[in-house]
Amino acid sequence: INGNIMPGKAEIGGWGEGEGEERVNLAEQSLLNKLIRRSLVRNRNQVEVLQADPNSPLYSVKTFEELRLKPELLKGVYNMGFNRPSRIQENALPMMLAQPPQNLIAQSQSGTGKTAAFSLAMLSHVNPDNKWTQCLCIAPTYELALQTGQVIEQMGKFCPDVKLAYAIRGNRMERGVKLQEQIVIGTPGTVHDWCTKYKLIDPKKITMFVLDEADVMIATQGHRDQSIRIHRQLPMNCQMLFFSATFEDSVWRFAEQIVPEPNIIRLKREEETLDTIKQFYVNCKEKEDKFTALCNLYGALTIAQAMIFCRTRKMAAWLTESLTKEGHQVALLSGEMTVEQRAAVIERFRSGKEKVLVTTNVCSRGIDVEQVSLVVNFDLPVDLDGNADNETYLHRIGRTGRFGRRGFAVNMVDSQHSMDIIKQIEMHFDRKIIKLDTSNLEEME
Ligand code: ADP
């Protein structure tokens, strides 16, 4: 898909068989999150706001009514089941709807309401009587553009005069005939072609430009430059809106190129903690021995929902097969599955159809499965040098305060090296990891 493979973290096959190397694909991860998400991710952190003009009053809203939207748009918002603006929307919406127009850079983790916010802004911004393109929105991939397009369509359900076009590959258009759709969403390459080569859009008439998922965009070969090329054709007074889930330096530099005199809104993600987790380790010899230990744990496993992490696809497949042979019902999340297949597996697990999910780390990174109360590290998380990967460990078993439920983590230790890793993790977090005897599980009570 658009050749968007992220260089970067790789999962290295253990046991010298060179198996199952997986790469994190940011665009896929983002799509997966969108497919499985049904509601807002709650976040109790304070929103940080940095105004372009610190002397101008700072508006925030607690209700959608306060925004004085067109009634048909307000109806669309309520029809989506939104009762009140999310944390980030409270500040972002009045800024995006302000007159004269203001530029915005907004950062918050996925699921906090960014897409809904700029969809609303675009729908509110356009003049339906003008039959030309006024808002341009670019997204990193075909699928992500479609997802956002669906949000715009749903929210604009009662605005029949506002039309949306998709500038994505395969969508053939007649050259030189100007589009009548007020909103165009697409990928940078096709949007650029539509503006320049095919002249379907007059970029000089664009008054709102939205760049979504900036972090994914810059991780995708060529997308950054295409975005800047589109941006150069826009008029000076075009309102620029820029969104990202993360904000490392490269994203920031990109933002500065796209958004002059920005207002900046940030919402830090809630920190994960190990405080509500009881951590154990089990001594095992090799994978068969780990499997036996796991089967002994199984009674405890199936009480609640459990996730089991393996290092490679191959190990995850072997473990799933072995557990299934023993008559257990397990789901497998694996890198060779399509994003849709993975979303379906996670949905089933979430709804409790399967109690145990076996997965590799890459596959499940960034997915919150709130009801999981037991995590088993069948393989310990290590970095490329074989040292403890504390960050991944925390992601796997940590919880944010909001769930606060108690949980258990069981680590399988199969060598002196893995014992050293356990020690490293203990030191790093300053939390004891207790030895567990799986033939006597009283410690877990
Ligand atoms: P992001 O773009 O930050 O990932 P989304 O806009 O996709 O977040 O929102 C995440 C989920 O929350 C979606 O299912 C969306 O429909 C829902 N949502 C967004 N805004 C609200 C709101 N104000 N009230 C309730 N649900 C909302």
Side-chain angles (χ1 to χ4, degrees), residues 37-40 64 82 84-86 89 109-116:
R37 185 149 287 137
R38 296 268 175 278
S39 62
L40 281 169
F64 287 111
F82 300 178
R84 69 187 72 80
S86 71
Q89 288 165 0
Q109 81 198 84
S110 115
T112 46
K114 299 184 294 299
T115 307

Side-chain angles (χ1 to χ4, degrees), residues 105 231 242 249 251-262:
I105 295 173
H231 173 259
F242 184 103
D249 289 350
V251 177
W252 187 242
R253 284 196 297 274
F254 184 36
E256 285 179 322
Q257 285 185 284
I258 301 277
V259 194
E261 295 175 57

